[in-house]
Amino acid sequence: MNLILKGNICYNATPQTLRILEGGYLICEAGISKGAFAEIPEQYANLPVMDYGERLIIPGLCDIHVHAPQYAFRGLGMDLELLDWLNTYTFPEESKYSDLEYADKAYQFFVDDLKEGATTRAVVFGTIHNPATLLLMEKLEASGLITMVGKVNMDRNSPDILIEDSAVKSLADTEAWIRESMTRFKRTMPILTPRFTPTCSDALMDGLGRLQIKYKLPVQSHLSENHGEIAWVKELCPDAKCYGAAYDRHGLFGGAGVPTIMAHCVWSADMEEDLIEKNGVFVGHCPQSNMNLSSGIAPIRRFMNRGIRVGLGSDVAGGSQTSIFRAMSDAIQVSKLYWRLVEQKDAALTVPEAFYLGTRGGGSFFGKVGSFDSGYEFDALVMDDTDILSSKTLSVENRLERMIYLAGKDNVHAKYVKGKQVK
Ligand code: GUN
Ligand code: FE
């Protein structure tokens, strides 16, 4: 895992600017980046060099919100809003993961897709089922990607085919799953995953808060995605000052020692936004899902301006594509509509900003991830764009921009995750 990659290196110096090194060298020692250089520094002269020629070398992409069991119906059922979509398409599909044979086949398709594409890190929802979730974790571990995976909790307001018997049973299953997954895997970590407030009783949320403290686990869930959902949470939790507070009162909404991702935040009220900022909650921005389910447009420029942490999520199957390049271009495009139709103070996102969100923005949920600066974990993609033809002379920056709009998984020539080559 000590090696040097040579190629046209491109990563963010700041959220607004790129650092580009043509024909530069990336040094990786024991899975950690030692930096990007124009010449090989003296002390690394003995390391083997992989020369990738004219290809681009960029940080790996991070998908901080994706549902593995929904991969089977991506591209289907986009005619409904969230709550009807869950009941009509999502819950029936997720119920099938009580069958390990089905899970085996379905999860292999998902993991193969992620492995072949540009994603190096992912934060993943499973289902309520322990065996299937452990099987998913096994497959992700074998892929070489680094992921966090959640066994989902839901003990109320769910159909008979996809509901846990009680809070007590849900918590017992969750603890058994935590214990098993903490010892079994190196690159695959458990993350607490209450599906969202409507499907989790107070007793369940309380117990998850206790497990969070006991095992020091990160947390993921959904927040303020859709108007019907938000109105329902108000009914269910009349005492909570905002939807986010309904998680916070159980210790499941960021703050010291509780790294948390909340997907969507399309309609967060002012005080919810303040709480997100104060508690350092990560927003998982899922623009394609927000379009498909007619949810709306999250105010990402405003979030970024006030220092809220943001990463990108595919949210398959709310989103139809696993590609985080696609999430970048979607994020840019919806931000233009937001500026045009909603708020002229909030300028559209630029290409470097969208690239930042999909690399270091989301990567920082994993620690020092998403950059080639010295000390960052070495996640790198070697991108080959020779099949994306153009008669123009293109700069490295032009070529990166075209990757964001045009790349498919065939353009991923090689992929390294924490120094290990996985493709
Ligand atoms: N809210 C609760 N569950 C889900 C889900 O599976 N997908 C999305 N997009 N939102 C949710
Ligand atoms: Fe989701």
Side-chain angles (χ1 to χ4, degrees):
M1 283 206 244
N2 293 347
L3 78 164
I4 298 177
L5 308 189
K6 179 169 196 259
N8 291 312
I9 298 161
C10 190
Y11 64 106
N12 283 89
T14 69
Q16 288 75 37
T17 58
L18 295 171
R19 176 161 189 240
I20 289 169
L21 261 176
E22 293 187 33
Y25 299 88
L26 288 172
I27 316 289
C28 169
E29 213 177 38
I32 303 297
S33 175
K34 297 290 157 182
F37 302 91
E39 304 291 339
I40 300 176
E42 185 69 39
Q43 74 261 42
Y44 301 115
N46 295 330
L47 294 187
V49 179
M50 288 291 299
D51 187 348
Y52 286 111
E54 286 305 311
R55 297 185 180 99
L56 300 182
I57 309 182
I58 62 175
L61 308 192
C62 302
D63 184 346
I64 68 163
H65 184 76
V66 58
H67 298 260
Q70 297 177 18
Y71 185 78
F73 71 102
R74 71 201 186 287
L76 293 172
M78 309 272 69
D79 53 332
L80 299 172
E81 285 189 56
L82 176 66
L83 299 176
D84 291 331
W85 174 80
L86 287 173
N87 284 318
T88 309
Y89 303 110
T90 309
F91 293 161
E93 178 60 29
E94 288 193 15
S95 74
K96 295 182 190 164
Y97 290 75
S98 60
D99 173 356
L100 259 192
E101 220 170 296
Y102 185 81
D104 187 22
K105 187 171 168 193
Y107 279 154
Q108 196 61 51
F109 291 148
F110 169 76
V111 172
D112 288 347
D113 183 318
L114 239 54
K115 185 178 157 143
E116 291 303 308
T119 297
T120 47
R121 308 254 173 171
V123 188
V124 184
F125 276 57
T127 61
I128 60 173
H129 314 97
N130 276 19
T133 303
L134 286 165
L135 182 63
L136 169 63
M137 294 175 90
E138 237 169 59
K139 289 179 185 298
L140 284 165
E141 181 80 9
S143 75
L145 306 187
I146 295 180
T147 61
M148 298 184 196
V149 178
K151 169 238 173 308
V152 173
N153 296 98
M154 40 202 298
D155 72 336
R156 68 172 181 184
N157 296 319
S158 308
D160 292 345
I161 51 167
L162 190 72
I163 188 166
E164 300 178 284
D165 292 341
S166 65
V168 170
K169 175 79 167 73
S170 175
L171 292 166
D173 283 356
T174 302
E175 188 156 13
W177 159 76
I178 292 168
R179 284 170 172 278
E180 175 132 13
S181 55
M182 281 178 105
T183 52
R184 227 160 100 182
F185 308 115
K186 288 200 173 68
R187 296 165 88 89
T188 318
M189 282 77 66
I191 179 167
L192 289 174
T193 306
R195 179 171 213 118
F196 66 158
T197 298
T199 62
C200 299
S201 67
D202 280 355
L204 176 53
M205 290 291 211
D206 260 347
L208 290 175
R210 284 194 298 274
L211 289 176
Q212 195 287 319
I213 293 167
K214 184 167 174 187
Y215 294 99
K216 300 183 174 52
L217 292 179
V219 178
Q220 63 176 345
S221 194
H222 296 93
L223 183 68
S224 297
E225 176 177 3
N226 164 287
H227 291 307
E229 170 208 21
I230 293 166
W232 195 12
V233 171
K234 263 207 183 103
E235 257 173 54
L236 291 166
C237 309
D239 302 335
K241 292 217 161 66
C242 61
Y243 188 168
Y247 294 108
D248 195 38
R249 65 188 182 185
H250 301 287
L252 299 168
F253 201 72
V258 196
T260 300
I261 296 169
M262 285 287 152
H264 307 301
C265 305
V266 174
W267 301 106
S268 290
D270 289 351
M271 70 166 304
E272 184 165 287
E273 231 176 276
D274 293 345
L275 196 60
I276 289 170
E277 184 192 337
K278 179 168 148 268
N279 288 7
V281 169
F282 278 70
V283 172
H285 179 40
C286 307
Q288 192 173 107
S289 168
N290 297 156
M291 289 189 275
N292 280 334
L293 300 180
S294 306
S295 300
I297 307 172
I300 298 304
R301 166 65 64 202
R302 190 169 77 227
F303 290 167
M304 288 176 79
N305 282 349
R306 60 184 294 184
I308 287 174
R309 302 194 225 182
V310 182
L312 297 177
S314 65
D315 196 26
V316 161
S320 319
Q321 327 254 342
T322 49
S323 167
I324 293 301
F325 284 125
R326 177 63 188 263
M328 291 176 193
S329 54
D330 288 336
I332 294 170
Q333 289 169 336
V334 300
S335 75
K336 290 176 177 172
L337 292 178
Y338 191 84
W339 170 78
R340 170 66 65 193
L341 300 172
V342 183
E343 178 55 75
Q344 278 76 52
K345 283 206 302 284
D346 289 341
L349 301 184
T350 63
V351 165
E353 286 171 329
F355 190 57
Y356 177 87
L357 294 180
T359 53
R360 198 162 142 190
S364 56
F365 193 70
F366 287 86
K368 291 187 103 174
V369 171
S371 170
F372 293 132
D373 284 345
S374 182
Y376 274 72
E377 296 184 18
F378 193 86
D379 294 2
L381 298 173
V382 181
M383 300 299 300
D384 187 322
D385 56 358
T386 44
D387 70 340
I388 307 180
L389 302 177
S390 170
S391 51
K392 276 173 69 66
T393 305
L394 299 167
S395 66
V396 169
E397 191 161 353
N398 292 155
R399 290 169 61 198
L400 176 72
E401 184 168 356
R402 275 167 36 109
M403 285 287 117
I404 288 172
Y405 282 90
L406 300 171
K409 59 185 173 193
D410 291 346
N411 299 107
V412 180
H413 177 78
K415 172 157 142 178
Y416 296 81
V417 184
K418 206 172 176 184
K420 176 179 165 175
Q421 185 163 10
V422 304
K423 178 179 177 178

